[in-house]
Amino acid sequence: MTVRLETARGLATITLARPSAHNALDVATKSAFIDAVTAAAEHPDVRAVLLTAEGKNFCVGQDLGEHVAALEDDPATAMDTVGEHYNPLIRALKSLEVPVVVAIPGACVGAGLGIALAGDIRVAGTRTTFSTAFTGIALASDSGLSYALVEALGSSRAAGLMLLGDRIAADQALDWGLVHRVVADAEVRTAATDLATQLAAGPTLAYRQVKSLIAASAAGLSDALDRELAAQRRMGRTADHAAAVKAFLAKEKPVFTGS
């Protein structure tokens, strides 16, 4: 089981449980994640949600080993996972009417960053790092990052993160407003659980209204997800992407030809 859902005292805890792969997202994990979020949304007693992860890292994004196999099978359909899994997952997370707290240990990369930004309150450790990583393998972006980063940081900082693939540390993420709290690494899950437990015992109807008002101001997310899907399908068929993914897995530096 690569995703666990546990509910107790109004709190639904969703845990990415693939630590040996740094919680990389293969099809089974993405499907289980969507199911867990859907189940939490439908549970009548859930008043808050906690997203967390086992191991040293929150999520390093797409499982590239599985992605290489999909590219070799058919480059034209390799990026279908964006429409089939990532977009439904982000929409499901953003549609949750209750507060969502995200505990972020270690690396938070690519789609993992998109997932984290789909929550409401983020707690990071002192050694947590964030990066988009997509252009490093000749892709654009998905998981709502083209929307969420611009909304959170403005277009200039978002462009730097997405074009250059800069990795930012927890203190910078706090300064920029990507996270709400930074604690000692060993305390990330505890601090996030405490916040989520507090929210689960709070004025749920008021929280729902707050989230509804925020969502109304973020109406452009759905269009952004559709645009990302089209872009990733185009990028997934490029020679640069195929070569870069293989170089990444071989721990070699990719050489881009612009094709």
Side-chain angles (χ1 to χ4, degrees), residues 1-165:
M1 182 182 298
T2 58
V3 178
R4 292 197 310 273
L5 171 64
E6 302 163 287
T7 58
R9 297 181 296 280
L11 177 63
T13 300
I14 299 173
T15 304
L16 285 170
R18 204 180 174 217
S20 62
H22 307 290
N23 296 309
L25 299 163
D26 59 4
V27 168
T29 302
K30 286 177 280 192
S31 297
F33 204 160
I34 294 169
D35 290 345
V37 175
T38 301
E42 295 174 349
H43 197 296
D45 298 328
V46 168
R47 299 169 61 187
V49 172
L50 171 67
L51 300 183
T52 186
E54 288 185 358
K56 295 181 179 180
N57 297 307
F58 177 69
C59 177
V60 296
Q62 171 65 36
D63 184 314
L64 290 183
E66 185 177 81
H67 183 59
V68 165
L71 283 171
E72 292 175 347
D73 182 56
D74 185 0
T77 61
M79 300 308 299
D80 285 358
T81 188
V82 175
E84 293 173 0
H85 302 107
Y86 289 121
N87 286 3
L89 175 57
I90 298 302
R91 286 190 169 107
L93 285 169
K94 293 297 290 185
S95 296
L96 285 168
E97 295 181 349
V98 298
V100 180
V101 179
V102 190
I104 312 173
C108 183
V109 181
L113 178 54
I115 290 166
L117 291 177
D120 300 307
I121 296 174
R122 287 165 289 282
V123 179
T126 55
R127 288 183 288 183
T128 296
T129 59
F130 302 87
S131 60
T132 58
F134 286 103
T135 57
I137 53 171
L139 287 176
S141 71
D142 55 46
S143 306
L145 280 178
S146 64
Y147 178 85
L149 285 175
V150 172
E151 182 184 45
L153 304 178
S155 59
S156 179
R157 284 175 172 169
L161 288 177
M162 295 175 70
L163 291 173
L164 300 174

Side-chain angles (χ1 to χ4, degrees), residues 68 71-72 137 240-252:
V68 165
L71 283 171
E72 292 175 347
I137 53 171
D240 271 351
H241 173 57
V245 173
K246 290 181 179 179
F248 180 88
L249 292 175
K251 294 182 170 56
E252 299 172 351

